[in-house]
Amino acid sequence: MIGYVTLGTNDLPRAVAFYDALFGAMGASRIWDGPSGVAWGVSMDQPGVGVMTPFNKQAATVGNGSMVALVVDSKDKVDAYYRKAIELGATDEGAPGPRGEGFYAAYWRDLDGNKLNFFFMG
């Protein structure tokens, strides 16, 4: 059902460098590149993630209660991608670990304060 998600940024070059490195490590690449933002994914017919400066030219703000959850296919990848995000300057919001039966996740905030997680079911 999800086609893509967009995260706001107030520093597009910094955000793009962060996500180029993080999503590149995950095997994703840029699928759209425009003057106000960039999107990454594996193809245009799969869900993707973008970072954009707000259309209304106001400052980007963090959504209270908003989060983007990125599914991966192993606990090891949750751990590795979380470490990569932290190495790139993300902040910890919950180290990798079990969060209930069959759900393993790690929570973090990007350079603009947007909350994301990596998770594995199984």
Side-chain angles (χ1 to χ4, degrees):
M1 182 147 85
I2 302 239
Y4 63 91
V5 296
T6 302
L7 301 169
T9 184
N10 292 305
D11 188 337
L12 188 59
R14 181 180 76 151
V16 169
F18 176 87
Y19 283 109
D20 273 344
L22 181 62
F23 290 148
M26 296 178 70
S29 60
R30 292 186 190 190
I31 57 174
W32 181 84
D33 200 332
S36 62
V38 173
W40 295 263
V42 295
S43 71
M44 288 297 284
D45 63 346
Q46 298 284 326
V49 176
V51 292
M52 307 280 293
T53 55
F55 179 77
N56 66 2
K57 308 296 185 209
Q58 301 297 310
T61 59
V62 177
N64 185 25
S66 299
M67 182 178 65
V68 175
L70 304 170
V71 64
V72 298
D73 61 7
S74 73
K75 292 177 183 178
D76 289 340
K77 286 183 181 177
V78 170
D79 296 346
Y81 298 149
Y82 168 82
R83 280 193 308 271
K84 180 71 171 177
I86 298 301
E87 287 171 15
L88 292 167
T91 56
D92 171 57
E93 283 284 315
R99 304 290 198 282
E101 188 164 336
F103 186 74
Y104 187 88
Y107 299 84
W108 50 280
R109 289 190 184 267
D110 72 6
L111 305 179
D112 287 286
N114 297 299
K115 188 173 182 180
L116 296 93
N117 84 355
F118 296 114
F119 77 96
F120 170 71
M121 298 294 293

